[in-house]
Amino acid sequence: MPETTERWDSVYDDDTAPWVIGRPQPAIAELERAGAFTGRVLDIGCGAGEHTILLTERGHDVLGVDFSPRAIDVARGNAESKGVPEARFAVADALALGTDPHFTGAYDTVLDSALFHIWGTEPEVRARYVRSLHGVLRPGGVLRLLALSDAEPGFGPRIGAEIVRGAFADGWRLVSLEPARYLGRITPMVADNVAGLAVSPAGLVEAAAWVAEIRRS
Ligand SMILES: C[S@@+](CC[C@H](N)C(=O)[O-])C[C@H]1O[C@@H](n2cnc3c(N)ncnc32)[C@H](O)[C@@H]1O
């Protein structure tokens, strides 16, 4: 999995990102239908922008941010082509949002779809990210997390429930943590890791994930 902005940019340039599936994750669409997104919403690590586009279409006040300028280009083009040009995007580093005056305490809901799990083996960076999230949310605000799970074979960086519980032990309340599914596309980046996963006729695979509601104290 890429670590630097340039490496993340490159997967958008060569269109090898397995998470770019041309539509929102069904788990996020279901959360939206259930009323999980309220107030000002920040979609962190928005990638190709599918969730920001969905939430904008549904009338939410949402901003999608990603530290890859190429991801943001792709997201803007995606929003245009889906007829939602008003969807808002910006380049920003998730690790630094909590101390940026534009973001501090400004959000009621944060969406993290498939970002948190990339720091599965880097506890210090994960802790920095969690501090940044704490800074972004107003007290009582909610993080909606969708992360790949290690409960089954799958693709990408996968984490156990204990990583989520440990990361949000202080300054947060874990309201719920449930098994979910994450849809991915088979690209050279993950082709070696998808053996045994059922592939849909559209070339998509479904992997185990966690969906969590985590409230900032
Ligand atoms: C696995 S993708 C998920 C994209 C999207 N949320 C989805 O579910 O389709 C992770 C995204 O996080 C972005 N990212 C990685 N590190 C980041 C950071 N420090 N700050 C902001 N975005 C970051 C990457 O550029 C990439 O677009």
Side-chain angles (χ1 to χ4, degrees):
M1 194 54 61
E3 300 93 24
T4 63
T5 309
E6 293 72 25
R7 290 192 60 200
W8 286 98
D9 275 345
S10 71
V11 298
Y12 289 100
D13 278 335
D14 60 20
D15 192 25
T16 56
W19 56 87
V20 176
I21 58 169
R23 58 170 156 133
Q25 289 292 328
I28 304 294
E30 195 180 313
L31 283 177
E32 196 283 328
R33 284 193 295 275
F37 297 97
T38 56
R40 294 188 73 196
V41 182
L42 187 64
D43 175 11
I44 302 188
C46 65
E50 295 295 347
H51 304 124
T52 298
I53 295 168
L54 169 77
L55 293 173
T56 304
E57 265 182 321
R58 302 286 164 98
H60 296 277
D61 174 0
V62 55
L63 174 69
V65 295
D66 202 290
F67 82 162
S68 157
R70 283 295 298 126
I72 294 301
D73 288 346
V74 169
R76 288 189 173 128
N78 200 9
E80 285 281 341
S81 66
K82 290 198 154 97
V84 194
E86 67 276 26
R88 294 183 299 124
F89 297 98
V91 174
D93 182 355
L95 300 175
L97 296 174
T99 51
D100 181 329
H102 290 107
F103 292 94
T104 311
Y107 288 89
D108 301 283
T109 311
V110 165
L111 169 62
D112 174 325
S113 170
L115 176 58
F116 176 80
H117 64 217
I118 74 171
W119 295 300
T121 56
E122 295 174 287
E124 292 87 12
V125 189
R126 188 165 64 238
R128 254 178 83 197
Y129 176 55
V130 171
R131 279 198 299 279
S132 184
L133 290 175
H134 201 273
V136 160
L137 280 165
R138 65 160 176 80
V142 171
L143 169 66
R144 300 284 175 175
L145 180 73
L146 180 66
L148 289 175
S149 158
D150 66 3
E152 293 173 16
F155 54 88
R158 293 170 294 124
I159 56 171
E162 72 287 354
I163 298 261
V164 180
R165 289 201 186 93
F168 296 98
D170 296 322
W172 301 85
R173 185 166 67 85
L174 182 58
V175 179
S176 62
L177 175 65
E178 307 282 346
R181 310 302 288 175
Y182 188 91
L183 278 185
R185 175 176 66 130
I186 299 180
T187 71
M189 192 193 257
V190 293
D192 293 341
N193 309 104
V194 294
L197 299 185
V199 182
S200 78
L204 299 180
V205 287
E206 212 182 69
W210 301 110
V211 67
E213 174 181 349
I214 306 166
R215 193 166 289 270
R216 179 209 194 278
S217 301

